[in-house]
Amino acid sequence: MLFNSFEFLVFLPFVLLVYHNLNHGWQNRFLVAASCFFYGSWDWRFLFPLLTSTTIDYWCAKKMEAQLAAGAPQAERKRYVVLSVVTNLGLLGFFKYFNFFSENLYELLASLGVHVNAWTLDVILPVGISFYTFQALSYTIDVYRGEAHATNSFWDFFLAVLYFPHLVAGPIQRAQNLLAQVTSPRHTTRQQVFDGLHLIFWGYFKKVFIADNLGPLVDQVFQSPSPDGFQTAMAVYGFCFQIYCDFSGYTDIARGVAKLMGFEFMLNFNLPYFATNAQEFWTRWHISLSTWLRDYLYIPLGGNRNGVGQTYRNLMLTMVIGGLWHGAAWNFILWGFYHGTLLVTHRYFRAPLDRIFSASTPWGRAVSFSIRLFVFFHLTCYGWLLFRATSLEQVLGMTASLFRPWQGYDENLLLPVLFFGGLLMAIETVLYATDRMDFLDFRWVPAEARVVCYSVIVYLCLFRGGEAQSFIYFQF
Amino acid sequence: MPRPVQLVRIAMAGLLALATLEVSARVDDWITHGAPLWGSYDIERIYEYDSLGRRGKPNASYLKWKLNDQGFRGPNFETDKLTVATFGASETFGLYEAEDREYPRQLEEVLRQRLGSDAVQVANVAYPGITVGQSLLRLDETLDAVRPDLAVLYPSVAGYIEYPDNGEWRLGRAPAPSRIPPSRLAERVRELLKRSIPEWIQTTIRARQAEQASGDEDVWKTIPEGNVDGFRRDLDRFLDALAQRRIPVALVTHATRFGDAVRPEERFLLVAWRKFYPQLAEDGFLDMERRLNKVVREAARERGLPLIDAAREMPPGPEDFVEFVHFTDAGSHRMAKLIADGIEAPLAARLEQRSAGARVGNHNPAPKQLP
């Protein structure tokens, strides 16, 4: 059931209506049922891996909590956290990565002259498995570290993982944050309703009007056997705006829906295309993933504590694994490696770059900011080419096309990319200038004008949106 | 703020929102299609009316449908070209295909490619909802305007469910003018709901609407034999009229998405079709297709006309058909190729005759008929 489907537009009001007429205990039970229905609407079998991992995580956490209470040393808790990690990563590996590694091993052996039968599995990838695996892992790891308490209610934990707004594409909530909200009574405030509706509204606008209109143009170029430089450039710019609007649109809807039920999800995007370097980008893009990787991978690897060399290695490893998390394909690994390189390079050259771009006057600062913004935006865009390509040959071919003479321009590509990209960046500029991170609420205009603005946007979403497409991040 | 004032403000905001949505729809039409901001904008824009009834309005356009200076869909006709006229209804006029992808346009492309000559043109003289009997009413007018060298008839058969009691067809009449232009927002909302609401809900609603529309009248399991006879009579008159003018004709049987039988998962399409003809039960549609196509095959055999048996040769399924009878771009292409297969040889002969005439220095235009 997609957020942009008719079924969801019936499902959500029904859930809200029932939810707000129940007490806290029944609200949780009802949300478990509604989330099972939501997730099962893709394929009811998807519920089994989810149930398996949550059951084991719940049990492991309880055991670790009991040992913690008994004052047992951390080493004794280790076997439970290992069991949890192995189970979660095992399920993820089985469903998502088995075929990738098997096929690559087969090709490697074949290139060495060893011929074996390729062993692949014919299984469907459960929607959102990467998201809920990371979320469940954060719970057991936090309990293991003593940073969170294990819950005594399986259903509360199950709901925290299964809760439908974030289940399939995040934001990846920290267990302690969401569990606390599950276990205590929730009161939806007027402000939450206001914010929630705005988030949903802008989320749909970004997804339906911008991302879904850009999608077919981008696909057309990426499916073309040999696009020229101009087409490649437009497709990459287009994809840059498409993926942002698609994913952040989903997140906005998820956060908005959660708010309508009194839940608060973490911010997942904070105007990422206003980043001027790689480090800043990862504090603005997919924040729930980047902070998860920082807390549960980069820091345990040693972070920046063991010298420059190991810091660079840890950064690189974290980003490559982050890339692989997105999908079992070499282009995602390459994308992770690319961003790792950007992070390492930025770290290495930070001091000289800061000196070069330091300015004392407001105009100087503005120019310096603009140059850095422009350069890093294009570096990000190139990263999206790696991300969107379907093979390494395509990456090489499209990259080469950018450096060959361009064969004129095609206004059927240029105008939509300029229009949708320009519109998005205009809105984001207002948010950036007003220090907002979430949405425009047209607070500064009279009420009548506000109604007109909202109505025009509703019109664009309903009647000028692109052909309904699935959310890109659902595949991860 | 007192509650009544609050309610009034909410109502006013609602009205303002509706008004903005309606204005947005009109501005959208204006920007996209050059439609007028005020007044209605619908398929009626491409029609005009005279004593006989509806006909195409020269140079009119509505959305992707553009008429030429004679009031037919497609480009203007050129007098020096070998002309194939395609008669039929909405399947021929083109409904769902992209602009210039309706089968007459694709037929022209295929013929030009196969014959290696641009001296062939296809005149699409069909209009939506036209039966063979109705096309007879303006047949002379059409033939005078187009002066075809060959005619292709792809008759839409569903119109014969409602065969007129006295056997006299009439063309559509002008709709009564309305003072308040119809809401363009409402039309868009209807379309949006059709796209968004799950098919099973729409099918349930359509089935109920068909039941209500048929009212207390008996629903036919099959169309009466009298309607089949009526189709035969109309077809004979049509073919006689063309024969009188010595215009060769190729007949095409009517194809549907279902082929010989309806697959259970496509039954909803029959319900959708029935919504337009509620007096005929769903299963009667395929029976009607079989019986009327039999008439077309018999006519071709008796008169020795080329027959393109699209009913048998078009594969059923969604690749070629958007819904029950109307084509996708691919379906139109397949239909164009089928027809081209059937008429390519006589057209090639005619072209050869023309070029031979030109070689011996015959500067008089060749008579417009096939050998």
Side-chain angles (χ1 to χ4, degrees):
Chain A
M1 192 188 304
L2 298 171
F3 280 178
N4 54 340
S5 68
F6 176 80
E7 287 85 349
F8 187 75
L9 294 181
V10 173
F11 171 80
L12 181 62
F14 171 77
V15 168
L16 290 174
L17 187 73
V18 175
Y19 174 85
H20 284 292
N21 283 294
L22 297 173
N23 63 31
H24 174 244
W26 280 103
Q27 277 180 342
N28 284 358
R29 285 176 208 130
F30 173 68
L31 285 181
V32 168
S35 299
C36 283
F37 177 79
F38 176 84
Y39 194 46
S41 70
W42 268 281
D43 192 325
W44 59 272
R45 290 169 298 180
F46 288 173
L47 286 163
F48 289 109
L50 178 65
L51 196 61
T52 307
S53 72
T54 44
T55 305
I56 291 171
D57 292 336
Y58 173 75
W59 183 78
C60 288
K62 286 280 285 179
K63 285 286 181 191
M64 287 189 284
E65 179 86 353
Q67 288 185 331
L68 197 66
Q74 198 180 40
E76 286 192 23
R77 300 201 298 277
K78 202 166 194 169
R79 53 187 168 151
Y80 293 107
V81 80
V82 168
L83 174 64
S84 165
V85 170
V86 168
T87 306
N88 282 289
L89 295 186
L91 280 170
L92 189 60
F94 174 77
F95 284 106
K96 191 164 175 173
Y97 299 107
F98 184 86
N99 287 350
F100 173 70
F101 286 116
S102 168
E103 282 164 9
N104 278 284
L105 182 65
Y106 168 77
E107 281 177 24
L108 179 71
L109 290 174
S111 69
L112 296 171
V114 182
H115 292 282
V116 291
N117 289 331
W119 209 51
T120 55
L121 296 169
D122 187 17
V123 288
I124 43 170
L125 178 67
V127 176
I129 189 168
S130 306
F131 288 90
Y132 70 70
T133 299
F134 271 30
Q135 185 155 297
L137 273 178
S138 79
Y139 171 68
T140 45
I141 295 172
D142 284 356
V143 172
Y144 165 73
R145 289 172 174 173
E147 290 171 3
H149 288 291
T151 176
N152 286 320
S153 162
F154 172 76
W155 294 109
D156 283 352
F157 174 60
F158 193 50
L159 175 58
V161 178
L162 181 72
Y163 184 40
F164 71 87
H166 73 84
L167 175 64
V168 288
I172 303 165
Q173 296 299 304
R174 297 306 168 82
Q176 64 266 41
N177 171 31
L178 200 55
L179 257 177
Q181 296 183 56
V182 168
T183 50
S184 15
R186 297 171 292 273
H187 304 286
T188 312
T189 63
R190 206 183 162 85
Q191 188 61 40
Q192 275 180 314
V193 172
F194 179 85
D195 289 353
L197 290 174
H198 271 86
L199 280 168
I200 293 171
F201 179 78
W202 283 108
Y204 276 116
F205 176 73
K206 284 195 272 188
K207 164 66 181 160
V208 176
F209 186 63
I210 300 181
D212 286 353
N213 272 311
L214 285 171
L217 298 171
V218 173
D219 292 348
Q220 179 196 320
V221 177
F222 273 91
Q223 283 161 9
S224 149
S226 52
D228 88 326
F230 174 81
Q231 290 172 319
T232 300
M234 287 305 111
V236 171
Y237 284 135
F239 185 66
C240 164
F241 299 123
Q242 183 201 354
I243 193 164
Y244 172 55
C245 287
D246 190 283
F247 192 18
S248 74
Y250 177 89
T251 305
D252 285 350
I253 299 169
R255 292 179 63 221
V257 168
K259 273 180 191 285
L260 295 182
M261 288 180 252
F263 285 91
E264 288 292 339
F265 284 175
M266 70 184 292
L267 187 72
N268 212 17
F269 293 91
N270 178 14
L271 312 175
Y273 295 142
F274 282 86
T276 54
N277 59 61
Q279 191 181 8
E280 189 186 357
F281 179 77
W282 285 103
T283 61
R284 290 175 175 275
W285 178 272
H286 204 173
I287 301 166
S288 64
L289 175 69
S290 57
T291 51
W292 196 100
L293 290 171
R294 181 197 64 201
D295 295 345
Y296 298 102
L297 188 60
Y298 176 69
I299 292 175
L301 281 170
N304 59 0
R305 296 189 299 271
N306 301 316
V308 176
Q310 286 214 20
T311 303
Y312 293 163
R313 183 206 66 180
N314 295 340
L315 275 175
M316 207 53 120
L317 262 177
T318 305
M319 294 316 293
V320 169
I321 291 171
L324 189 61
W325 174 87
H326 283 84
W330 282 104
N331 63 304
F332 292 118
I333 296 175
L334 189 61
W335 178 74
F337 183 81
Y338 174 77
H339 271 279
T341 309
L342 289 181
L343 279 168
V344 168
T345 311
H346 169 254
R347 216 178 170 91
Y348 188 79
F349 289 107
R350 185 159 53 188
L353 282 173
D354 284 349
R355 269 198 307 278
I356 292 167
F357 286 107
S358 65
S360 53
T361 63
W363 272 107
R365 278 195 292 274
V367 170
S368 155
F369 173 75
S370 304
I371 292 170
R372 283 180 296 153
L373 192 71
F374 179 83
V375 171
F376 189 72
F377 175 75
H378 284 84
L379 289 173
T380 311
C381 283
Y382 183 72
W384 292 129
L385 191 160
L386 308 178
F387 191 93
R388 175 62 180 77
T390 48
S391 66
L392 293 180
E393 290 76 25
Q394 190 174 31
V395 169
L396 292 173
M398 291 182 86
T399 305
S401 75
L402 289 169
F403 297 100
R404 282 195 296 266
W406 293 7
Q407 299 158 1
Y409 78 99
D410 175 0
E411 63 178 30
N412 292 327
L413 276 175
L414 178 69
L415 294 180
V417 171
L418 274 183
F419 174 73
F420 292 109
L423 180 66
L424 172 73
M425 292 317 287
I427 294 169
E428 301 266 295
T429 303
V430 174
L431 292 175
Y432 187 79
T434 53
D435 214 15
R436 299 287 305 266
M437 289 178 272
D438 278 346
F439 52 80
L440 287 180
D441 55 14
F442 300 118
R443 231 176 258 257
W444 63 91
V445 297
E448 293 77 11
R450 220 178 303 162
V451 171
V452 170
C453 290
Y454 288 135
S455 303
V456 171
I457 292 168
V458 166
Y459 178 86
L460 294 175
C461 290
L462 289 179
F463 306 115
R464 277 287 165 183
E467 193 74 23
Q469 292 170 28
S470 181
F471 290 87
I472 295 172
Y473 263 67
F474 277 18
Q475 63 189 292
F476 309 136
Chain B
M1 192 186 295
R3 200 170 169 76
V5 177
Q6 214 172 4
L7 287 174
V8 169
R9 283 195 61 159
I10 291 171
M12 294 297 283
L15 283 175
L16 181 60
L18 278 177
T20 308
L21 289 168
E22 179 67 32
V23 170
S24 302
R26 287 168 182 275
V27 171
D28 189 2
D29 283 342
W30 176 63
I31 293 171
T32 317
H33 307 292
L37 283 172
W38 185 248
S40 59
Y41 183 63
D42 55 28
I43 190 75
E44 280 300 318
R45 289 185 70 80
I46 63 166
Y47 294 123
E48 60 184 11
Y49 296 86
D50 60 13
S51 56
L52 279 177
R54 190 159 65 189
R55 53 160 288 158
K57 189 174 176 180
N59 299 313
S61 70
Y62 170 64
L63 301 177
K64 66 185 171 191
W65 297 284
K66 294 184 176 72
L67 306 192
N68 62 17
D69 58 7
Q70 304 273 2
F72 297 109
R73 189 171 185 197
N76 290 335
F77 307 138
E78 293 176 52
T79 48
D80 59 338
K81 292 202 167 165
L82 208 61
T83 305
V84 176
T86 53
F87 288 86
S90 50
E91 300 92 328
T92 303
F93 183 80
L95 277 195
Y96 297 104
E97 301 94 331
E99 206 173 333
D100 291 338
R101 292 290 86 196
E102 62 276 17
Y103 86 74
R105 289 278 64 73
Q106 298 207 57
L107 174 63
E108 186 174 84
E109 282 175 18
V110 174
L111 287 173
R112 287 180 175 183
Q113 204 176 21
R114 289 192 187 176
L115 300 172
S117 165
D118 283 355
V120 181
Q121 67 181 350
V122 175
N124 182 352
V125 295
Y127 291 113
I130 295 285
T131 63
V132 178
Q134 284 168 317
S135 62
L136 278 164
L137 295 173
R138 290 195 188 276
L139 187 60
D140 286 337
E141 205 177 292
T142 305
L143 295 175
D144 289 343
V146 180
R147 295 174 49 77
D149 297 282
L150 188 145
V152 174
L153 175 64
Y154 182 52
S156 180
V157 295
Y160 283 86
I161 298 169
E162 293 168 343
Y163 191 72
D165 292 336
N166 55 6
E168 285 179 20
W169 288 100
R170 298 177 67 181
L171 287 165
R173 303 284 150 184
S178 67
R179 269 199 205 157
I180 304 168
S183 162
R184 295 192 206 165
L185 176 66
E187 183 54 35
R188 279 168 164 78
V189 170
R190 257 195 302 276
E191 284 301 314
L192 180 72
L193 291 175
K194 266 168 74 176
R195 282 204 312 271
S196 315
I197 296 178
E199 200 52 63
W200 66 270
I201 297 178
Q202 294 195 52
T203 301
T204 310
I205 294 169
R206 285 184 191 128
R208 180 164 291 186
Q209 284 173 337
E211 289 305 325
Q212 281 172 352
S214 63
D216 297 333
E217 291 173 29
D218 285 342
V219 174
W220 302 334
K221 285 188 175 154
T222 61
I223 59 165
E225 196 53 36
N227 296 22
V228 179
D229 292 339
F231 177 67
R232 187 177 289 117
R233 270 196 307 276
D234 288 346
L235 186 61
D236 282 339
R237 284 169 60 203
F238 184 89
L239 296 174
D240 289 344
L242 288 166
Q244 243 174 17
R245 288 192 177 227
R246 302 183 63 198
I247 299 169
V249 186
L251 290 177
V252 188
T253 54
H254 192 249
T256 70
R257 174 177 171 137
F258 311 111
D260 291 333
V262 182
R263 283 176 292 175
E265 67 270 22
E266 292 199 326
R267 206 168 166 79
F268 75 95
L269 287 169
L270 271 187
V271 178
W273 199 1
R274 192 191 160 203
K275 197 191 144 193
F276 299 100
Y277 306 99
Q279 67 271 45
L280 182 63
E282 280 97 10
D283 292 316
F285 283 85
L286 285 198
D287 172 72
M288 169 191 73
E289 291 280 334
R290 273 190 291 271
R291 287 160 68 196
L292 298 195
N293 277 334
K294 193 176 159 210
V295 172
V296 175
R297 289 187 193 105
E298 284 169 0
R301 196 174 54 243
E302 285 162 11
R303 291 169 181 259
L305 303 176
L307 175 75
I308 291 125
D309 206 345
R312 287 187 181 142
E313 294 194 41
M314 289 286 286
E319 194 187 321
D320 289 342
F321 295 93
V322 176
E323 24 83 312
F324 24 92
V325 292
H326 295 106
F327 300 121
T328 58
D329 287 5
S332 273
H333 186 63
R334 195 189 299 275
M335 176 57 102
K337 285 205 296 188
L338 279 177
I339 296 176
D341 290 344
I343 65 172
E344 186 185 342
L347 283 176
R350 176 73 182 122
L351 266 180
E352 180 60 32
Q353 192 189 39
R354 264 195 180 191
S355 53
R359 275 199 299 273
V360 296
N362 180 1
H363 296 295
N364 296 325
K368 294 199 93 181
Q369 48 182 251
L370 284 164

